[in-house]
Amino acid sequence: MQVIVGVDNIHQSLQNPVLTIGNFDGVHRGHQALFEKVKEWAKKLNGQSVVMTFNPHPVEVLFPGKGPRFITSHERKLELIAASGVDAVIVIPFSREFSQISARGFVEDLLVGKIGVKALIVGHDYRFGHKREGDIDLLKQLGREFGFEVDTLDGIRVGDKLVSSTIIRQLIQKGQVVEANTLLGRPFEVIGPVVSGRKRGASLLGFPTANLRLPLQVSPSSGVYVVEVEMGGTRYAGAANIGTSPTFNNGEMSLEVHILDFSRDIYGDTIIVRFLDRLRDEKKFSGPAELTEQIRKDVVKTREFFASAR
């Protein structure tokens, strides 16, 4: 997949580009359905399928510190878009200046003048331009004027839930990772380097842990989870605790992962932790012995989960 940062860096004309536009946080099932429709149109027009997205996220620029924590980092978002099979991504460096572009100017100067769009595929509630002044009716009018097709996609539902980044974020924050994963179309994941912890896992409790600093993205609520850990292309079963370790009065949120049947030193290695199910709430125990016994039970349940999933 070709990644183009800024429309001024389109040095070679895209072939009959079929475009979709959005932030695509989480690259969930609704986004994936949109990408499929873009690829269908591109095939019909003998063109290239193109995704336009923004970095930083517009909320970070227009409302600093007030936006939600995101489901995926920008880098991971690009990887997931690439995995969907589109031909190219155009990343717009979002700024306050960019936010001032009118709806007509956005279409005429950027989409038509710089990209040469032949078809635009967007969600049914898509808005664009300064203060979100543009809507689908205006988009279709501009499409007729400048000679490009406009198609829309209704919201995707899974069961009784509409698939949206907002709803997925809410589910993750409540610890409802199974439901969130269903809407995402894959497990929610946290990616980061293994850092030095408090050295209690192996020496005091008998269960060594890989410790990660929680990244600046949405996080599941405190509790114990069944997880899959990937490093170096190999996947392992594990159990993870998110919380403040109240038995030891730590006070600071952390993510500690016990990887089953694993003993290698991985300090500094980057791992992917995928959340598969929630086992229980985090709680304060009377001391290390009681906590160790509970961890044993958590590990048994984790093994049962993976055994039943085979």
Side-chain angles (χ1 to χ4, degrees):
M1 181 186 76
Q2 184 182 10
V3 178
I4 303 166
V5 180
V7 291
D8 291 334
N9 289 316
I10 302 175
H11 300 306
Q12 184 175 351
S13 296
L14 296 166
Q15 179 179 324
N16 296 334
V18 176
L19 185 70
T20 188
I21 305 169
N23 294 308
F24 305 118
D25 183 33
V27 193
H28 55 58
R29 282 186 166 186
H31 301 147
Q32 294 161 28
L34 198 56
F35 299 159
E36 287 303 313
K37 197 161 190 175
V38 168
K39 290 192 292 182
E40 290 171 10
W41 267 93
K43 185 175 181 180
K44 182 164 61 174
L45 297 181
N46 190 30
Q48 289 179 279
S49 53
V50 184
V51 171
M52 177 186 285
T53 192
F54 306 95
N55 186 46
H57 192 290
V59 170
E60 294 180 281
V61 175
L62 301 177
F63 308 100
K66 295 182 179 179
R69 292 200 168 195
F70 303 118
I71 301 166
T72 48
S73 67
H74 175 68
E75 293 75 20
R76 183 59 175 151
K77 178 173 72 174
L78 293 184
E79 292 174 355
L80 292 168
I81 293 173
S84 74
V86 300
D87 296 315
V89 167
I90 299 172
V91 179
I92 300 296
F94 194 85
S95 64
R96 287 190 174 274
E97 182 183 10
F98 185 87
S99 75
Q100 300 299 309
I101 298 174
S102 68
R104 183 181 183 88
F106 177 70
V107 171
E108 183 175 6
D109 299 336
L110 200 71
L111 303 190
V112 177
K114 298 281 189 178
I115 298 173
V117 65
K118 297 302 179 186
L120 185 60
I121 320 300
V122 291
H124 68 287
D125 56 353
Y126 177 67
R127 309 285 302 199
F128 62 103
H130 181 53
K131 294 186 177 179
R132 295 167 56 85
E133 64 186 356
D135 59 11
I136 297 298
D137 288 339
L138 177 60
L139 197 58
K140 289 181 176 179
Q141 176 188 321
L142 294 171
R144 290 189 293 270
E145 180 177 345
F146 291 107
F148 62 86
E149 301 282 351
V150 175
D151 197 2
T152 60
L153 183 70
D154 289 337
I156 302 297
R157 288 187 173 272
V158 176
D160 62 344
K161 282 190 170 62
L162 179 69
V163 180
S164 79
S165 299
T166 299
I167 291 172
I168 292 169
R169 260 185 237 112
Q170 292 170 349
L171 290 170
I172 293 168
Q173 289 171 327
K174 293 176 182 176
Q176 296 174 274
V177 293
V178 174
E179 295 87 342
N181 294 347
T182 299
L183 302 189
L184 274 172
R186 66 180 186 284
F188 170 71
E189 60 192 19
V190 170
I191 304 173
V194 177
V195 299
S196 181
R198 297 177 180 87
K199 312 294 184 183
R200 286 193 296 252
S203 60
L204 184 60
L205 303 175
F207 292 94
T209 59
N211 300 277
L212 279 76
R213 291 192 185 94
L214 286 170
L216 296 176
Q217 66 183 87
V218 67
S219 172
S221 59
S222 296
V224 177
Y225 296 83
V226 175
V227 299
E228 175 187 81
V229 179
E230 181 176 338
M231 61 187 112
T234 303
R235 299 182 179 190
Y236 304 87
N241 183 85
I242 287 183
T244 59
S245 300
T247 303
F248 301 103
N249 297 313
N250 284 341
E252 184 179 343
M253 291 287 288
S254 63
L255 170 58
E256 300 172 277
V257 185
H258 173 63
I259 306 172
L260 273 57
D261 308 315
F262 187 88
S263 59
R264 184 159 54 87
D265 183 351
I266 54 172
Y267 284 123
D269 291 2
T270 295
I271 66 175
I272 304 172
V273 181
R274 299 189 177 99
F275 290 78
L276 306 182
D277 201 0
R278 182 181 173 91
L279 291 178
R280 62 175 176 86
D281 293 339
E282 187 182 43
K283 60 176 291 189
K284 184 171 184 175
F285 295 93
S286 61
E290 187 181 10
L291 175 55
T292 296
E293 182 55 33
Q294 180 60 59
I295 294 173
R296 291 187 196 281
K297 294 176 182 177
D298 296 337
V299 168
V300 168
K301 288 183 179 179
T302 298
R303 291 189 187 279
E304 290 172 350
F305 176 92
F306 282 98
S308 65
R310 288 174 184 162

